[in-house]
């Protein structure tokens, strides 16, 4: 396959108050890649996303291919339970067409137990999701609604900061399978930040290990060797000893 | 036009606009700012009176400088600027109390709806219409900014500019309301109806509509009650809004 770069990053640096949060990053991402960004807390993963989106000042070069539609779902959107906004209204901010919204909800696996009966499905989704306050949805449902939101305008690129934070193991699996499916169906380029090396091995074809600087970059099975992981996380951390905490 | 009808129409329109603008003040957790902001009008009114200018313009000028400050603080610090804002606004209230000539002081503090003229009505109609036009265009974007500033910015929504525009609308409605309920209490007409509406609504459409309805009801209820008992209208309007708020607690969602 001929590489078709969708993003080229050269000498990217970000500083806050004189502290270098990111230094000297060089990488490129091809169309249709699933790029995982891993690293310890405070490694600058979310900062990297913000720089890629141009939300914060940086030095160096970030070049996206032309005419891209980019969707971004930031980490931990805390929706106040009291916020008077229904899930339906939230989705309609992006697309007013109900049929398209319902289709997106179906795609992210909401109410999948009713999907074979369209009429019943519509009623179910309207009553239990669209007309509910956004802040009343469970963690898993909210995350799916956010993914649906991100998909509504058919983006070319999806940036997802810890898409499964706060979701139980089963829910996590479903969401990653969904991302994989969407990636396959729509040839979307996906960037995801994850803490979970299992996820990286299973779903990403490219990984960037980040701890303020680039520790490794490439195909997960090749670059994630014990020495890279030790350099990244310190101590004895290795793939098989890595513990996962799911709250 | 009959003076009472004039008061009712002008007052209701102000209640309507205050409810609409207030609904986003409450969502942006700016209730205290909204309340304190109205106090800034007092020194403006005082200076205008000293130089024999229309008090509306004096109030408008000081309010405008206050929102520039709030906007700047919000943009620069990302911190809730409530302490600083609280201090500055009460200080300006104190200054206004000293500067305002005594005969006008009571009216400036609590308003006097009986002095509303047909010119005021015309200004109110135009301003409230403009508020509706602008709010209906920016409310979705403001809401996205409330949910996640970064997500909104990633969608190329000019959050800071919209915030300023929004604060400007707050200034317009507060300045309009000064004549009706005064500098001390106008902030409450912006905040209380919206807070009451939030108690009882699930979605945004319901919420903004109820906030407007509660705003109008407070004013109408206040005007009639005050007339019946022969007391000042401004404080009664705020009491009416408070009563509606307590009532909505029973239906809290």
């Amino acid at each position: 396959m001929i590489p078709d770069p969708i993003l080229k990053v050269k000498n990217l640096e970000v500083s806050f108050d004189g502290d270098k949060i990111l230094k000297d990053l060089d990488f490129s991402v091809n169309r249709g890649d699933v790029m995982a960004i891993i690293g310890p807390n405070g490694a600058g993963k979310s900062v990297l996303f913000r720089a890629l989106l141009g939300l914060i000042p940086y030095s160096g070069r970030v070049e996206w291919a032309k005419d891209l539609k980019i969707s971004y779902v930031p980490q931990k959107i805390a929706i106040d339970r009291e916020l008077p906004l229904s899930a339906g209204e939230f989705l309609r901010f992006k697309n007013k067409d109900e049929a398209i919204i319902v289709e997106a909800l179906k795609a992210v696996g909401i109410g999948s137990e009713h999907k074979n009966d369209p009429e019943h499905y519509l009623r179910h989704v309207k009553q239990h999701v669209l007309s509910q306050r956004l802040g009343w949805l469970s963690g898993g449902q909210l995350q799916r609604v956010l993914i649906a939101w991100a998909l509504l305008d058919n983006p070319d690129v999806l940036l997802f900061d810890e898409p499964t934070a706060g979701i139980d193991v089963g829910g996590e699996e479903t969401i990653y399978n969904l991302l994989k499916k969407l990636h396959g169906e729509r040839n979307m380029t996906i960037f995801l930040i994850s803490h979970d090396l299992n996820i990286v091995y299973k779903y990403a074809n490219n990984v960037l290990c980040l701890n303020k600087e680039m520790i490794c970059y490439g195909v997960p099975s090749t670059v994630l060797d014990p020495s890279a992981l030790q350099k990244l996380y310190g101590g004895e951390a290795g793939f098989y000893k890595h513990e996962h905490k799911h709250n | 036009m009959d003076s009472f009808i004039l008061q009712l129409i002008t007052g209701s329109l102000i209640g309507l606009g205050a409810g609409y603008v207030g609904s986003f003040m409450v969502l942006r957790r700016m209730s205290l700012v909204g309340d304190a902001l109205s106090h800034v009008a007092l020194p403006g009114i005082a200076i205008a009176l000293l130089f024999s200018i229309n008090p509306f313009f004096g109030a408008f000028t000081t309010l405008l400088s206050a929102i520039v400050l709030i906007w700047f603080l919000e943009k620069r610090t990302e911190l809730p600027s409530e302490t600083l804002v609280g201090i500055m606004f009460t200080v300006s209230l104190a200054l206004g109390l000293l500067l305002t000539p005594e005969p006008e002081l009571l009216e400036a503090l609590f308003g006097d709806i009986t002095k509303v003229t047909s010119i005021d009505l015309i200004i109110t109609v135009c301003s409230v219409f403009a508020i509706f036009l602008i709010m209906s265009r920016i409310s979705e974007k403001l809401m996205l900014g409330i949910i996640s500033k970064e997500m909104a910015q990633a969608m190329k929504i000019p959050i800071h500019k919209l915030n300023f525009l929004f604060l400007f609308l707050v200034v317009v409605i507060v300045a309009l309301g000064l004549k009706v309920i005064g500098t001390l209490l106008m902030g409450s007409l912006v905040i209380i109806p919206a807070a009451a509406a939030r108690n009882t609504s699930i979605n945004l459409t319901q919420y903004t509509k109820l906030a407007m309805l509660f705003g109008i009801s407070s004013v109408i209820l206040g005007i009639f009650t005050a007339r019946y008992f022969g007391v000042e209208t401004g404080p009664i309007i705020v009491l009416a809004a408070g009563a509606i708020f307590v009532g909505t607690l029973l239906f809290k969602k």
Side-chain angles (χ1 to χ4, degrees):
Chain A
M1 202 170 73
I2 308 153
D4 176 13
I6 204 165
L7 170 69
K8 283 189 222 162
V9 173
K10 282 205 181 84
N11 304 324
L12 177 65
E13 301 210 332
V14 176
S15 316
F16 288 148
D17 300 326
D19 280 338
K20 277 199 177 154
I21 307 295
L22 291 178
K23 51 187 174 192
D24 210 14
L25 297 188
D26 272 294
F27 62 92
S28 72
V29 176
N30 290 329
R31 203 175 286 268
D33 273 358
V34 176
M35 164 83 143
I37 293 144
I38 61 167
N41 290 330
K45 303 180 296 271
S46 302
V47 173
L48 173 61
F49 266 21
R50 281 181 221 135
L52 293 182
L53 288 162
L55 301 180
I56 50 170
Y58 58 84
S59 65
R61 291 225 306 257
V62 172
E63 285 171 15
W64 290 96
K66 279 199 180 117
D67 302 324
L68 287 178
K69 252 194 245 165
I70 303 175
S71 258
Y72 167 53
V73 179
Q75 187 183 19
K76 280 181 207 140
I77 295 195
I79 310 270
D80 189 347
R81 280 187 62 79
E82 304 272 310
L83 188 75
L85 177 72
S86 71
E89 282 175 320
F90 173 65
L91 292 164
R92 277 198 296 278
F93 285 171
K94 227 176 192 181
N95 198 318
K96 308 276 176 217
D97 188 333
E98 192 183 58
I100 293 177
I101 290 177
V102 171
E103 213 39 58
L105 290 177
K106 209 183 259 177
V108 299
I110 282 181
S112 49
E113 64 275 22
H114 305 291
K115 69 178 171 199
N116 295 325
D117 178 353
E119 211 170 287
H120 185 68
Y121 182 79
L122 194 63
R123 213 170 41 237
H124 172 86
V125 165
K126 271 189 184 166
Q127 192 181 345
H128 295 285
V129 182
L130 293 178
S131 63
Q132 296 295 316
R133 264 191 200 167
L134 205 56
W136 286 347
L137 301 180
S138 69
Q141 265 180 326
L142 178 63
Q143 208 60 34
R144 278 163 213 241
V145 167
L146 288 174
I147 301 179
W149 151 271
L151 296 176
L152 269 180
D153 47 3
N154 272 318
D156 308 291
V157 181
L158 192 59
L159 281 89
F160 238 126
D161 194 344
E162 299 211 37
T164 57
I167 294 179
D168 60 43
V169 188
E172 186 176 74
E173 195 76 27
T174 332
I175 285 182
Y176 280 112
N177 282 330
L178 165 73
L179 286 181
K180 192 177 181 184
K181 188 171 139 235
L182 292 169
H183 168 247
E185 282 170 3
R186 309 192 187 188
N187 193 31
M188 226 182 275
T189 311
I190 299 178
F191 290 72
L192 55 94
I193 290 176
S194 178
H195 269 123
D196 193 332
L197 291 174
N198 280 311
I199 297 292
V200 176
Y201 274 102
K202 212 163 157 186
Y203 299 101
N205 55 13
N206 233 330
V207 63
L208 176 85
C209 321
L210 189 67
N211 195 356
K212 299 196 174 169
E213 54 193 337
M214 204 158 78
I215 309 278
C216 69
Y217 164 56
V219 180
S221 54
T222 320
V223 300
L224 289 179
D225 54 27
S227 79
L229 289 172
Q230 185 172 3
K231 209 169 158 198
L232 187 60
Y233 291 104
E236 292 290 302
F239 176 55
Y240 295 104
K241 291 176 186 167
H242 188 78
E243 283 181 31
H244 306 293
K245 284 182 184 157
H246 300 287
N247 299 314
Chain B
M1 195 188 287
D2 178 65
S3 151
F4 185 63
I5 305 284
L6 192 69
Q7 290 170 30
L8 271 181
I9 299 176
T10 313
S12 306
L13 283 172
I14 291 171
L16 188 77
Y20 201 175
V21 172
S23 59
F24 279 85
M25 275 307 256
V26 168
L27 288 185
R28 299 187 59 219
R29 300 180 181 279
M30 291 183 80
S31 302
L32 278 178
V33 174
D35 211 20
L37 180 66
S38 59
H39 303 359
V40 176
L42 192 60
I45 294 176
I47 293 167
L49 288 172
L50 288 176
F51 291 97
S52 314
I53 315 168
N54 186 338
F56 176 84
F57 295 110
F60 193 78
T61 312
T62 43
L63 283 168
L64 200 61
S65 7
I67 61 147
V68 170
L69 181 79
I70 295 175
W71 179 69
F72 190 71
L73 283 175
E74 270 197 331
K75 194 176 162 187
R76 286 302 293 267
T77 61
E78 303 265 327
L79 294 170
S81 39
E82 297 210 316
T83 311
L84 191 55
V85 165
I87 294 169
M88 290 213 26
F89 290 180
T90 40
V91 167
S92 64
L93 177 64
L95 196 69
L97 287 173
L98 282 178
L99 287 175
T100 313
E102 204 159 324
E104 279 92 5
L105 187 59
L106 211 58
E107 189 189 323
L109 285 177
F110 300 110
D112 185 353
I113 199 170
T114 59
K115 298 220 170 126
V116 168
T117 61
S118 26
I119 302 285
D120 291 323
L121 177 63
I122 293 168
I123 296 178
T124 307
V125 169
C126 299
S127 311
V128 172
F129 180 72
I131 287 175
F132 263 75
L133 204 68
I134 298 173
M135 279 302 288
S136 63
R137 280 166 176 260
I138 67 172
S139 59
E140 284 187 3
K141 297 184 174 105
L142 286 176
M143 191 59 167
L144 278 175
I146 290 167
I147 294 173
S148 163
K149 205 174 120 193
E150 291 179 345
M151 206 161 82
Q153 282 174 327
M155 290 175 72
K156 309 264 184 281
I157 294 174
I159 280 290
H160 292 301
K161 278 185 197 154
L162 289 180
N163 281 347
F164 187 79
L165 185 59
F166 171 70
L167 285 172
F168 181 77
L169 297 182
V170 176
V171 163
V172 172
I173 197 70
V174 168
L176 283 177
L178 293 177
K179 205 156 189 179
V180 176
I181 68 172
T183 46
L184 272 191
L185 297 176
M186 185 52 203
S188 342
L189 189 62
V190 175
I191 298 308
I192 304 178
R198 193 169 72 157
N199 285 338
T200 52
S201 8
I202 288 181
N203 60 52
L204 189 61
T205 317
Q206 227 175 35
Y207 170 62
T208 45
K209 281 187 182 156
L210 272 180
M212 292 182 232
L213 179 72
F214 291 157
I216 298 178
S217 318
S218 309
V219 174
I220 293 180
L221 208 64
I223 291 177
F224 276 105
T225 315
R227 195 178 162 92
Y228 184 77
F229 290 104
V231 286
E232 284 296 331
T233 312
I236 300 290
I237 290 177
V238 175
L239 284 180
I244 291 175
F245 178 81
V246 173
T248 57
L249 286 177
L250 299 174
F251 304 96
K252 191 160 165 49
K253 293 268 162 58

